[in-house]
Amino acid sequence: MAQITYVSRSLPSFYVPVSAAAGGFAGLLVGTAHGSSLIGLIVGAVLLAITAYVVTKFVSQERIARWAILGIVTLGGLYLAGVPGLVVGAGFGWFFGWFIFWLYESRYRKKLPPYLTAAQVLWHYSFRVICGLIFFFLIAPIVVVMPLSFNAEDFFTFTPEMLRFDPAGYSLKHYRDFFTSSDWQHSLWNSITIAPAATLLSVSFGTLAAIGLSSEHVPFRRTIMAILISPMIVPLIISAAGMFFFYSRIGLQGTYFGVVLAHAALGIPFVIITVTATLVGFDRSLTRASANMGAGPILTFFRVQMPLILPGVISGGLFAFITSFDEVVVVLFVGSAGQKTLPWQMFTGLREQISPTILAVATILVAISILLLTTLELLRRRSERLRGMSPG
């Protein structure tokens, strides 16, 4: 076990108020769940302030103090909310035990430069707390959907059985409804046929545009670039309305090909941006060497240029695929009932019947998105290795 190096023990005037603030935040969460936020805030702050002072002044061994905090908070959670409270209380108890002694033994300064002032140390950790809160704010709506998709009842809220972790409160019926319903399967089939076709067009046109615009001799290339990425900047409702009127005049409104073209137009900017970023580190002397060896432009592209920019092309393609697969506004304007995609079906389910199957579909889409983002990260690391950069 690694030996901990202490700087100097903190004074109670520091670690007790900070511990009280942490206890107040936890009490606020617990109190809100029981309908009394203010009381929870006050009680949590007072209890943890007293706990921090007592365990640091009257308990000689840190391990015993931390186990005591863990046991007391866990039992308190069990008393207040049963099995779910026990689980949450165990998490809070472990954190509070660690947090109090992390402050008391000044371990928060262990890995920081010794010359930092108190204000600089405060900002160092405040910045991380702010980032953590922002991350929680962004991820919480996504995480909440996942357990709700296993609700045994047709509700969009946690039932008492779910909160008690009762197996009777959980079911896969919403997933069974998704895989057996003709409406949902028709929408899924439309999505998995439209999105790949739109992605193929986006990658083809976007890659060629990025390569052409990366050449310095192309006139007005900045203006052309701005026009090509405008679908990403212009509000989607404006693009959808414009596509509706334009497609109505040329007979593409309400057709599969029209929806594919519309989604391709939305995906091209992502491909252009990612491929252009990859071309920044591309060595132009390689194409000139290929030309000197007698290779034509097409052979040079596929044998020399494409292997090096392939990570950027695939990344852009994944972004284009996600854009097409998740898009609902444009397809509402340019599509018809025959082209109802999965997001369109989810929108209809929310507007007309509040179908809980939406939660199961949302969970599946989140899993797909996580898989695609993981692929993007692997491709990013490969691209940096090819360019001689550190993947960090």
Side-chain angles (χ1 to χ4, degrees):
M1 183 175 179
Q3 184 68 29
I4 297 176
T5 303
Y6 303 106
V7 179
S8 63
R9 285 181 171 174
S10 303
L11 297 175
S13 59
F14 168 70
Y15 68 84
V16 170
V18 177
S19 300
F25 179 75
L28 177 64
L29 298 178
V30 176
T32 302
H34 289 79
S36 53
S37 304
L38 181 60
I39 295 177
L41 174 65
I42 297 173
V43 171
V46 172
L47 287 180
L48 201 62
I50 295 174
T51 302
Y53 185 81
V54 170
V55 297
T56 54
K57 292 299 182 182
F58 301 103
V59 181
S60 58
Q61 296 187 17
E62 176 183 339
R63 180 174 297 180
I64 295 176
R66 292 177 64 171
W67 276 108
I69 295 172
L70 175 62
I72 292 172
V73 179
T74 302
L75 292 176
L78 179 63
Y79 173 76
L80 290 175
V83 177
L86 183 143
V87 175
V88 175
F92 276 134
W94 176 87
F95 173 76
F96 289 149
W98 167 83
F99 186 68
I100 289 172
F101 284 93
W102 182 69
L103 295 173
Y104 174 60
E105 300 290 355
S106 296
R107 293 172 188 160
Y108 62 91
R109 296 201 65 133
K110 178 184 174 183
K111 295 183 179 180
L112 298 180
Y115 54 80
L116 292 183
T117 64
Q120 290 173 325
V121 173
L122 177 63
W123 170 245
H124 175 83
Y125 288 106
S126 297
F127 177 75
R128 281 152 179 76
V129 170
I130 293 172
C131 292
L133 292 176
I134 294 174
F135 177 77
F136 174 79
F137 176 78
L138 295 175
I139 205 71
I142 300 174
V143 175
V144 168
V145 168
M146 296 181 180
L148 283 176
S149 67
F150 297 98
N151 194 344
E153 304 294 335
D154 294 335
F155 302 139
F156 277 75
T157 57
F158 290 97
T159 61
E161 291 80 9
M162 294 185 71
L163 295 176
R164 291 198 304 266
F165 294 126
D166 186 352
Y170 297 87
S171 173
L172 294 174
K173 71 174 188 176
H174 302 312
Y175 290 90
R176 286 194 296 267
D177 180 54
F178 169 67
F179 288 107
T180 57
S181 171
S182 58
D183 290 337
W184 284 105
Q185 290 303 300
H186 177 69
S187 301
L188 176 63
W189 175 251
N190 283 335
S191 291
I192 62 179
T193 53
I194 292 174
T199 302
L200 181 62
L201 292 178
S202 299
V203 170
S204 301
F205 295 134
T207 302
L208 294 176
I211 293 174
L213 294 174
S214 63
S215 301
E216 296 181 355
H217 65 274
V218 176
F220 309 109
R221 60 193 184 106
R222 294 186 181 276
T223 304
I224 298 173
M225 174 72 78
I227 295 174
L228 291 177
I229 67 173
S230 61
M232 183 189 295
I233 302 171
V234 176
L236 197 56
I237 188 68
I238 296 177
S239 299
M243 290 177 182
F244 171 76
F245 289 112
F246 178 68
Y247 286 4
S248 298
R249 295 298 184 96
I250 61 177
L252 288 178
Q253 200 279 330
T255 64
Y256 275 100
F257 187 60
V259 176
V260 169
L261 284 180
H263 284 184
L266 298 178
I268 285 176
F270 294 96
V271 180
I272 291 177
I273 290 175
T274 55
V275 175
T276 301
T278 306
L279 287 170
V280 170
F282 182 75
D283 188 359
R284 299 285 177 180
S285 63
L286 296 176
T287 57
R288 292 193 292 269
S290 176
N292 290 334
M293 297 295 293
I298 297 178
L299 184 61
T300 299
F301 173 75
F302 284 105
R303 292 292 185 87
V304 178
Q305 203 164 17
M306 188 54 135
L308 294 176
I309 66 172
L310 187 61
V313 174
I314 297 177
S315 298
L318 289 176
F319 278 118
F321 179 84
I322 294 173
T323 301
S324 175
F325 200 84
D326 293 343
E327 202 282 322
V328 64
V329 177
V330 170
V331 75
L332 283 173
F333 275 80
V334 302
S336 63
Q339 295 89 46
K340 183 181 290 186
T341 59
L342 201 56
W344 186 350
Q345 182 66 29
M346 295 175 69
F347 177 76
T348 303
L350 283 173
R351 186 181 60 181
E352 297 179 358
Q353 57 185 352
I354 312 297
S355 172
T357 308
I358 297 170
L359 302 175
V361 179
T363 302
I364 295 173
L365 292 179
V366 169
I368 294 174
S369 299
I370 292 174
L371 180 63
L372 293 177
L373 290 175
T374 303
T375 305
L376 282 174
E377 176 62 19
L378 295 176
L379 290 172
R380 184 189 68 83
R381 290 173 176 268
R382 181 179 182 273
S383 177
E384 290 182 351
R385 286 195 299 268
L386 290 175
R387 295 163 59 185
M389 299 171 62
S390 172

